[in-house]
Amino acid sequence: MHMKVRDVMTSEVASVNGSTPFRDVAEVLIAHEVSAVPVVDGEGHVVGVVSEADLLRKEEFREQFYREGYRPPLRARLREAVGHGAAKTQERARGVTAAELMSAPAVTTRPYTSVVSAARQMSRHGVKRLPVVDDEDVLVGIISRHDLLKVLARADADIAREVREDIIGNCLWADLSGVEVSVSEGVVTLTGALERRSQARVLMRMVERTNGVIGVVDRLEWKEDDAGPWESA
């Protein structure tokens, strides 16, 4: 019911190695129209990520092109004061290879991680994409915010098929044969009759958790209201 990272990730990944020069890293970002690339070692293990921000930060701290005593923009100095500190940033900014410029350790995810967890990782770490690694930390793909949007934009027919086959068709805890499903613009409407009110509630919650579902309209009926007094109406 929950899509995994492997279902939406991009398997053909642009990457660089630690010795890749600054200019070549920039060309890879431009050529592949991405904002960041993983940095891998000789065995394909992800050791870091170099992004547009890492390259632009180098320009912010290139004092040799300014008058003596030049200081980076206030925004850059404040950002680094809150983050890793200006000293470390300036040290990285003097780098000329991917290994010297990259952010490390890399924030990665696994192919079997749910897309919801991957989205939370991106939000928590403030990144736009995550390298996907296997259990040996070898690069196998990459997942971006754009890939996550594909989950939200699933076709109505795909959502309806998943609800009918995976939830209703495989149900062992209740007879759902009388439930009908329709989907419009990501909103699922459930109609039909069940034995108990509690069964209808469980079904609603399962459908709500299906990837791509924007909302659920409850038109279910039941024969027995087994909701306890502690449950809300």
Side-chain angles (χ1 to χ4, degrees):
M1 185 168 63
H2 296 288
M3 278 193 177
K4 305 299 183 183
V5 166
R6 60 173 170 262
D7 298 321
V8 296
M9 73 180 189
T10 300
S11 298
E12 297 182 3
V13 189
S15 63
V16 297
N17 59 52
S19 61
T20 303
F22 173 97
R23 184 181 295 274
D24 290 349
V25 175
E27 290 178 351
V28 169
L29 295 179
I30 295 170
H32 292 272
E33 298 182 342
V34 294
S35 59
V37 289
V39 182
V40 299
D41 63 16
E43 287 72 44
H45 302 108
V46 177
V47 296
V49 173
V50 62
S51 67
E52 291 173 335
D54 294 321
L55 300 186
L56 293 174
R57 188 177 293 118
K58 180 177 179 64
E59 294 303 306
E60 291 178 344
F61 288 89
R62 289 179 65 174
E63 294 186 20
Q64 64 266 37
F65 291 107
Y66 298 88
R67 64 184 181 278
E68 184 177 356
Y70 165 78
R71 299 183 71 193
L74 176 61
R75 181 174 60 182
R77 286 184 278 121
L78 289 176
R79 183 184 64 233
E80 299 308 325
V82 174
H84 300 293
K88 183 175 181 179
T89 297
Q90 292 188 48
E91 180 182 351
R92 283 174 55 192
R94 287 192 291 269
V96 295
T97 65
E100 296 166 338
L101 294 164
M102 70 184 185
S103 299
V107 180
T108 62
T109 188
R110 307 285 187 184
Y112 46 76
T113 299
S114 71
V115 293
V116 174
S117 296
R120 289 173 179 166
Q121 259 188 298
M122 289 185 192
S123 177
R124 183 166 62 251
H125 293 280
V127 295
K128 298 179 180 179
R129 61 189 65 232
L130 296 171
V132 184
V133 298
D134 62 17
D135 291 334
E136 302 299 325
D137 289 329
V138 173
L139 181 68
V140 295
I142 197 161
I143 185 170
S144 66
R145 290 179 180 176
H146 179 72
D147 296 322
L148 296 177
L149 287 177
K150 295 177 185 176
V151 177
L152 298 178
R154 293 182 70 191
D156 290 341
D158 291 339
I159 296 173
R161 181 168 52 251
E162 182 172 343
V163 173
R164 292 190 186 107
E165 296 178 0
D166 294 354
I167 299 179
I168 295 177
N170 292 328
C171 179
L172 300 177
W173 47 269
D175 180 9
L176 303 182
S177 59
V179 176
E180 296 183 358
V181 180
S182 63
V183 184
S184 177
E185 300 295 328
V187 177
V188 179
T189 299
L190 300 174
T191 58
L194 296 171
E195 287 293 324
R196 299 181 179 86
R197 183 181 184 184
S198 60
Q199 295 172 343
R201 289 191 171 187
V202 172
L203 176 58
M204 285 283 294
R205 289 168 184 160
M206 293 181 70
V207 174
E208 287 171 345
R209 295 177 61 190
T210 301
N211 292 126
V213 172
I214 305 302
V216 181
V217 177
D218 180 5
R219 293 180 179 169
L220 296 169
E221 299 177 350
W222 55 86
K223 297 178 181 178
E224 178 186 346
D225 187 352
D226 58 344
W230 59 87
E231 295 185 79
S232 59

